[in-house]
Amino acid sequence: MALLPFDGISLGCDYNPEQWPPSVWREDVELMREAGVGFVTLGVFSWALLQPGPDRYDFGWFDEVLGLLHDGGIAVDMATATAAPPPWLTHAHPEMLPVDAEGRTLWPGSRQSWCPSSPVFRDHALRLVEQLANRYGSHPAVRLWHVSNELGCHIGKYWCDVSAAAFRRWLADRYGTVDALNDAWGTAFWSQHYSSFDEVLPPRITPAVPNPTHELDFARFSSDALLDYYRAERDVLRRLTPDVPVTTNLMVSSHQSEQDYFRWAPELDLIAQDHYLDARLAHPRAEQAFTDDLTRGVAGGAAWLLMESATSAVNWQPVNVAKRPGELLVDSLRHVARGADGVAFFQWRASRAGGEKFHSALVPHAGRDSQRFREVVGLGDALRRIGEVAGSRVKADVALLFDWNSWWACDLGSHPTGELRYVDAVHRWHRAVTELGATADVVHPESDLAGYRLVIVPTLYLASDATAAALDAYVRAGGQMLVTYFSGIVDERDHIRLGGYPGAFRELLGVRAEEFAPLPPGQTVALDDGSTADLWTEVLTAPDAEVVARYTDGPLPGTPALTRRAVGEGVAWYLATRLDDAATAALADRLTRDAGVTRLAGAQPGVELVRRGHHLFVLNRSHDPVKVPARGLDLLTGERVGGTVDVPAGGAAVVREEET
Ligand code: GAL
């Protein structure tokens, strides 16, 4: 991964000057300087104005904006402007419009009305990219290319005929012969045998449960189709402007599961990520910390760029919660603590018209004379003070395995319970570890695990042979590992691993389940160590493992719920149920202690500690001031810290630590 093309820890934003008259642009640049904005993403939704007709371009206004930004010392992340096609294009070529699973066309009138496999869309989009690359690729302000925008944001899967043909080509590449496809999809079931690839459709709505491997492959294809489109734009940019790095803003989040970003990462010169807090969740900040750690995992541990977030409320949740004073700073520092080298926002100036006019911005409707803008200026100052953090790495002793393929397969229908959500299972463990002051890298199951003291494998329903072998080797070499319920159940084709659950890990864990016994919503079970659990139990035996806890009630009293097996130099734990928060925390406490995981003193729910390079980040979301052990210099206040740092309620510290 390339280093970020902006200096220090930069402050950035989407800049949409076309929404404002030129008289405002000058004031924009002045205010950007006041706020310490280091870069802007320009032109994301400018296609219709940059190219008012098939053979007409109007770059004059764009030249002027770029000139103003450059004169103001503001760098540009230049969008390729292809995210929202102009009406003249969709009008002339309705065949490029997306179609959903029910066969409904998604019409123009908002944005993203295009299909990534459409040749006509691609042709027009790539022509625009070429124009922009030729005209601006060597402009001194332009430091980064930003392909399209949140590829797959509103629609991640496409069911149109053009996509159906692309899906068939993708399948032919993957399987070679239709017999191999029949085998992988288990089409002997329900008379689904195909005689030719031509008979295969995208999984459009069906009378009963669709073939799950068909769905899984369509999910893989859909991620690849958008990636392929990204590559097409990137290749034009690389050919014409080889010195300017290329990225696109990913959406690593808990709402969005449609792109396998571990596959995307090698194609990007740097990882850029968008994150919006979701007030609908029980623990929105814990979800932010999780996606930050996953983004770092996608970046292979390198620094990444937060390309979009909100200074306050968004406008697309049922109730759009505003940030309280101080939250903008602490939320932004959370991204930096977990590996971001830049914090950017959607958008510079709050729109006065259009579908996002109630979305927060750096300059709110109230203008410069506002608490929000003053906080933005404060944030710019804080990021400047901590600039030396840029490029450093987060140190994590824990690896949490995560896989989009497993997510897609786990959350398909017709499973033992419809109540299980993969991401909830992963979050629960991430939060428990974080609240103890430990840091987890969220990584792909086939990553190199050698450096980690503890590996947690939450509900990894789909696991490859390579994953099973790697975990076996990790434990034998001295690693400590926890696997939780409904893991290792199927292979990459979503075929059950026979002989007893959890097939892929059964021998390593020394356990064997013959049946699942999920619990109805609201029902809990007690364990003989005092824990409470819900959602899931299994008819489990432990032929080759120590039983640590058993159920005392529920459908399986006396049955093992938690087991532990010493293997080689290491230890493999199995948890066959979903523990509640307190019991999850207690088990995380034991595991991290046993494994010798570094836990930063002072961490507790509401007080987050992360060490990045030689810097200790203390984020205090609690309602009380806290004292945290530290020695060095608090970069935010400029004050020496000689043993403990005092952090006010809702405040933060970034301490450059002294060697002790
Ligand atoms: C993002 C998108 C931005 C803006 C923002 C609002 O998904 O990339 O253009 O719409 O959401 O939260």
Side-chain angles (χ1 to χ4, degrees):
M1 289 282 150
L3 284 178
L4 261 62
F6 310 119
D7 301 330
I9 302 287
S10 45
L11 174 66
C13 58
D14 277 25
Y15 184 37
N16 298 307
E18 61 273 17
Q19 297 179 16
W20 301 95
S23 55
V24 176
W25 302 345
R26 286 176 192 282
E27 191 202 26
D28 283 341
V29 174
E30 226 174 85
L31 293 186
M32 284 178 192
R33 288 172 64 85
E34 183 179 340
V37 168
F39 77 95
V40 298
T41 299
L42 186 67
V44 174
F45 298 110
S46 303
W47 190 347
L49 294 182
L50 287 176
Q51 190 183 6
D55 298 309
R56 282 191 297 130
Y57 293 94
D58 177 5
F59 291 120
W61 65 277
F62 220 54
D63 294 349
E64 192 182 335
V65 172
L66 263 168
L68 286 172
L69 290 166
H70 185 55
D71 292 348
I74 291 157
V76 172
D77 162 38
M78 180 68 106
T80 56
T82 53
W88 60 257
L89 179 55
T90 48
H91 180 73
H93 294 287
E95 72 274 21
M96 63 178 260
L97 296 174
V99 171
D100 74 4
E102 295 178 29
R104 294 176 305 190
T105 298
L106 305 175
W107 295 98
S110 65
R111 63 178 177 184
Q112 217 200 313
S113 352
W114 52 273
C115 161
S117 302
S118 157
V120 68
F121 172 71
R122 222 177 245 224
D123 185 49
H124 281 85
L126 296 188
R127 268 200 283 151
L128 177 66
V129 175
E130 218 173 289
Q131 291 278 339
L132 288 166
N134 283 330
R135 193 171 181 100
Y136 299 113
S138 54
H139 192 289
V142 175
R143 306 268 186 84
L144 180 63
W145 285 113
H146 180 293
V147 167
S148 190
N149 187 58
E150 290 190 344
L151 287 158
C153 166
H154 303 289
I155 325 155
K157 291 181 180 151
Y158 301 78
W159 283 265
C160 55
D161 290 340
V162 172
S163 293
F167 182 40
R168 287 190 281 269
R169 287 195 296 275
W170 184 93
L171 290 168
D173 266 7
R174 184 174 175 90
Y175 293 111
T177 66
V178 77
D179 282 347
L181 176 140
N182 280 312
D183 194 35
W185 287 15
T187 56
F189 180 78
W190 278 359
S191 180
Q192 292 169 353
H193 185 90
Y194 293 97
S195 323
S196 140
F197 283 108
D198 296 342
E199 296 163 5
V200 181
L201 293 169
R204 294 176 175 148
I205 50 166
T206 43
V209 183
N211 179 310
T213 315
H214 184 176
E215 287 193 279
L216 181 57
D217 271 346
F218 189 62
R220 291 173 173 140
F221 156 76
S222 300
S223 173
D224 281 0
L226 282 161
L227 176 57
D228 190 64
Y229 176 76
Y230 163 83
R231 271 199 223 102
E233 284 205 17
R234 187 223 33 210
D235 290 350
V236 171
L237 297 166
R238 281 215 178 137
R239 175 166 53 82
L240 298 173
T241 66
D243 298 331
V244 183
V246 183
T247 192
T248 185
N249 44 343
L250 307 182
M251 299 161 290
V252 178
S253 85
S254 311
H255 342 272
Q256 204 86 24
S257 76
E258 286 167 323
Q259 289 79 37
D260 177 354
Y261 289 133
F262 287 124
R263 269 171 82 77
W264 285 52
E267 311 283 346
L268 275 60
D269 291 329
L270 60 92
I271 296 299
Q273 144 77 350
D274 294 354
H275 186 268
Y276 292 93
L277 285 165
D278 189 342
R280 293 165 289 193
L281 300 174
H283 304 283
R285 266 84 188 177
E287 191 270 348
Q288 183 196 328
F290 168 78
T291 58
D292 287 344
D293 289 350
L294 175 55
T295 304
R296 192 175 65 253
V298 168
W304 50 277
L305 181 61
L306 181 79
M307 193 63 104
E308 282 184 31
S309 57
T311 59
S312 186
V314 297
N315 69 314
W316 43 263
Q317 291 174 18
V319 175
N320 297 295
V321 175
K323 287 194 178 170
R324 287 176 306 189
E327 287 187 334
L328 172 59
L329 175 66
V330 176
D331 291 341
S332 300
L333 292 177
R334 182 171 301 109
H335 293 297
V336 179
R338 295 180 183 278
D341 268 8
V343 177
F345 296 87
F346 174 84
Q347 60 179 330
W348 166 248
R349 202 179 264 280
S351 307
R352 66 194 305 185
E356 295 190 316
K357 57 185 173 300
F358 291 112
H359 196 288
S360 61
L362 277 76
V363 182
H365 292 144
R368 175 193 199 170
D369 182 14
S370 60
Q371 175 63 16
R372 189 54 64 201
F373 187 67
R374 283 187 283 278
E375 282 207 38
V376 166
V377 173
L379 172 63
D381 183 50
L383 297 183
R384 191 183 47 72
R385 286 167 182 266
I386 64 168
E388 66 184 47
V389 172
S392 60
R393 291 207 162 215
V394 175
K395 171 85 186 92
D397 284 348
V398 180
L400 211 110
L401 303 195
F402 181 87
D403 182 22
W404 270 276
N405 274 254
S406 198
W407 184 355
W408 298 333
C410 180
D411 286 6
L412 290 175
S414 301
H415 278 190
T417 171
E419 297 291 309
L420 194 164
R421 289 281 164 273
Y422 173 62
V423 159
D424 295 346
V426 186
H427 280 178
R428 183 171 293 251
W429 280 97
H430 183 270
R431 185 157 55 85
V433 165
T434 304
E435 288 182 352
L436 292 171
T439 304
D441 283 343
V442 184
V443 297
H444 187 269
E446 288 171 30
S447 308
D448 177 9
L449 300 173
Y452 295 106
R453 291 180 176 272
L454 175 65
V455 172
I456 302 180
V457 188
T459 307
L460 193 69
Y461 164 73
L462 179 157
S464 66
D465 292 349
T467 298
L471 286 173
D472 190 87
Y474 167 76
V475 174
R476 284 178 200 284
Q480 311 258 329
M481 175 191 73
L482 169 74
V483 173
T484 78
Y485 59 94
F486 211 42
S487 285
I489 305 302
V490 297
D491 63 14
E492 293 103 316
R493 301 168 306 165
D494 199 28
H495 290 201
I496 300 285
R497 293 176 176 278
L498 301 176
Y501 314 121
F505 309 126
R506 195 175 61 228
E507 284 181 21
L508 176 59
L509 297 166
V511 298
R512 182 166 182 267
E514 293 183 15
E515 254 184 57
F516 302 126
L519 303 174
Q523 184 178 333
T524 59
V525 280
L527 276 60
D528 59 10
D529 64 356
S531 303
T532 303
D534 68 355
L535 184 78
W536 191 269
T537 62
E538 303 178 348
V539 182
L540 188 75
T541 55
D544 193 16
E546 169 199 345
V547 177
V548 180
R550 295 176 189 272
Y551 305 107
T552 59
D553 61 10
L556 301 167
T559 300
L562 177 64
T563 64
R564 179 182 184 279
R565 178 177 181 232
V567 191
E569 306 291 307
V571 178
W573 292 75
Y574 183 56
L575 175 64
T577 187
R578 181 171 79 175
L579 297 175
D580 70 6
D581 280 357
T584 305
L587 182 55
D589 180 60
R590 171 157 182 200
L591 293 172
T592 50
R593 276 183 207 284
D594 283 5
V597 167
T598 303
R599 288 166 42 169
L600 298 168
Q604 51 184 283
V607 181
E608 211 175 315
L609 299 186
V610 184
R611 183 170 282 136
R612 182 172 172 194
H614 301 296
H615 296 87
L616 177 70
F617 284 73
V618 184
L619 310 174
N620 180 11
R621 279 195 38 78
S622 77
H623 298 296
D624 301 303
V626 290
K627 282 184 188 300
V628 169
R631 193 172 290 280
L633 181 74
D634 182 349
L635 300 178
L636 294 178
T637 59
E639 281 168 19
R640 265 205 53 73
V641 176
T644 52
V645 60
D646 293 314
V647 185
V654 181
V655 181
R656 182 206 295 149
E657 294 180 296
E658 270 165 20
E659 310 252 331
T660 45

